Amino acid sequence: MISFLDLKKINAQYEQELKNAAIRVIDSGWYLMGKELETFEQNYSTFCGTKYSLGVANGLDALRLIFKAYIELGIMKVGDEVIVPANTYIASVLAISDNGLIPVFVEPNRNTYNLDSSKIESVITSRTKAILTVHLYGQNSIDDKMLAICEKHQLKLIEDSAQSHGAVWNGKVMGSIGDAAGHSFYPGKNLGALGDAGAVTTNDETLAKTIEALRNYGSLKKYENIYQGLNSRLDEIQAAFLNVKLNYIEKDISERRRVANYYLDNIKNPEIILPEVLSEEGHVWHLFVIRSKDRVNFQKYMETNGVQTIIHYPIPPHKQKCYKEMNSMYFELTEQIHNEVVSLPISPVLTEAELCKIVNLINSF
């Protein structure tokens, strides 16, 4: 069976360095808010090209903390609206609603699956305070029109960079273009920890200081609490692992592009809809997502022939039970996408033989 993602094989490439990192943390006797975190924050800031990087517990918390900080700073308030793509993973929406803000859904572009900038202005109201743009599947979602809309309407631009580590637009890395960005280092991400982990990047000193406190019970000095904060800290051992793997992120991106280009060049089945690539440097291929109108049978066929595929994501946020008040909403394109998308295996360790088998199966379906 060709697995969708072989994390054991991926991390085996760095086995000794990861073990050495774990030993270093264990031997230090310091497991939270120490030198490993400080080093990773500096390294990740350099990688993204931002002044500040703050390690947090996970990608969802990264986004939650950004909105929470803006509320603490009086820039947003409960009941304000945040524009978000309708076809995103639910974490993007949870971060908004968890802070008492209102998600306002916008349909994606049919070919890139990212937020369609041409549809944004029609939903802006006096309560709109931000756009949460999601670099879905690893492709940049920002364009000049989106930036112009934010400037015209004085909106904050927040990047959900959970899937886009290292993607570049106009010479800037994702996570450095908007006012702030949330990053996930979930094990399956392009830059994956060996557990939950996340970060916020920003060039805004006031915002960074506020999040620094909020992630640590609302405190910058022990036992003195400025805000009603969270416990959302990136621990030393995950920071140490991420310091190891950050050294190899460019190589891994190159390998993912190798896999993606093989698929793009060789999948010829007219029943399979391939993704659109806006630019080579703008896509880091966290996922390679195709569409099939006969998805159920396609997945069964691939599974029977030894290839695991995954659906990202089967149910859009507005149709989830936890948002029952939104269940009557209808977004035609979003719902079509969620009914047709299938993710093919993609990772830096896929072999040519495996890729050949996958493509031949697809072309024979």
Side-chain angles (χ1 to χ4, degrees), residues 177-197:
I177 301 171
D179 295 282
H183 306 253
S184 169
F185 308 122
Y186 178 78
K189 302 296 186 184
N190 291 22
L191 178 59
L194 275 68
D196 274 322

Side-chain angles (χ1 to χ4, degrees), residues 58-319:
N58 53 69
L60 172 56
D61 276 6
L63 294 174
R64 289 172 68 207
L65 285 162
I66 291 168
F67 289 117
K68 190 173 179 64
Y70 278 132
I71 289 171
E72 291 288 356
L73 292 170
I75 293 169
M76 298 180 192
K77 64 182 183 302
V78 170
D80 282 343
E81 297 172 347
V82 178
I83 293 169
V84 64
N87 63 313
T88 186
Y89 180 56
I90 199 167
S92 312
V93 186
L94 290 172
I96 297 168
S97 62
D98 183 67
N99 282 286
L101 303 169
I102 310 299
V104 176
F105 296 115
V106 170
E107 291 265 51
N109 177 283
R110 181 177 294 277
N111 300 314
T112 66
Y113 311 121
N114 277 328
L115 184 61
D116 189 336
S117 293
S118 69
K119 298 174 182 174
I120 291 175
E121 280 200 286
S122 64
V123 300
I124 293 175
T125 72
S126 60
R127 294 193 297 170
T128 307
K129 292 296 186 292
I131 297 171
L132 175 58
T133 190
V134 182
H135 307 309
L136 199 64
Y137 309 148
Q139 181 159 224
N140 162 55
S141 64
I142 294 173
D143 58 22
D144 289 328
K145 185 175 182 63
M146 187 181 295
L147 294 179
I149 289 170
C150 288
E151 182 175 1
K152 176 182 176 181
H153 296 277
Q154 296 184 308
L155 305 179
K156 294 295 182 184
L157 179 60
I158 300 163
E159 299 175 65
D160 184 336
S161 297
Q163 302 182 3
S164 61
H165 316 116
V168 175
W169 180 69
N170 281 359
K172 292 184 177 181
V173 176
M174 299 302 94
S176 69
I177 301 171
D179 295 282
H183 306 253
S184 169
F185 308 122
Y186 178 78
K189 302 296 186 184
N190 291 22
L191 178 59
L194 275 68
D196 274 322
V200 174
T201 54
T202 185
N203 290 311
D204 184 331
E205 181 179 7
T206 303
L207 183 69
K209 273 293 182 186
T210 306
I211 292 172
E212 184 181 1
L214 284 170
R215 72 176 176 180
N216 187 37
Y217 298 98
S219 172
L220 290 172
K221 183 178 179 181
K222 197 167 185 177
Y223 302 130
E224 293 184 13
N225 301 80
I226 311 167
Y227 310 109
Q228 296 178 29
L230 308 175
N231 173 12
S232 183
R233 301 172 296 201
L234 175 57
D235 64 67
E236 287 289 281
I237 202 160
Q238 297 301 337
F241 291 152
L242 287 167
N243 275 319
V244 170
K245 296 185 73 176
L246 187 57
N247 292 324
Y248 300 98
I249 184 67
E250 295 293 352
K251 175 183 76 70
D252 285 353
I253 291 172
S254 178
E255 288 299 303
R256 286 176 175 273
R257 286 177 176 150
R258 170 186 64 86
V259 173
N261 286 329
Y262 189 94
Y263 285 147
L264 291 169
D265 291 342
N266 293 285
I267 294 175
K268 303 299 183 182
N269 189 329
E271 299 301 314
I272 299 299
I273 300 172
L274 295 170
E276 180 180 334
V277 185
L278 298 179
S279 73
E280 179 86 358
E281 66 177 5
H283 207 322
V284 292
W285 298 105
H286 171 57
L287 299 171
F288 191 96
V289 180
I290 62 171
R291 282 167 45 211
S292 170
K293 295 186 185 303
D294 192 13
R295 181 172 70 185
V296 172
N297 285 324
F298 175 80
Q299 279 203 292
K300 287 180 180 177
Y301 164 79
M302 296 297 283
E303 182 80 17
T304 300
N305 287 281
V307 177
Q308 181 188 26
T309 60
I310 303 289
I311 299 173
H312 296 90
Y313 305 96
I315 306 172
H318 69 280
K319 294 297 184 183

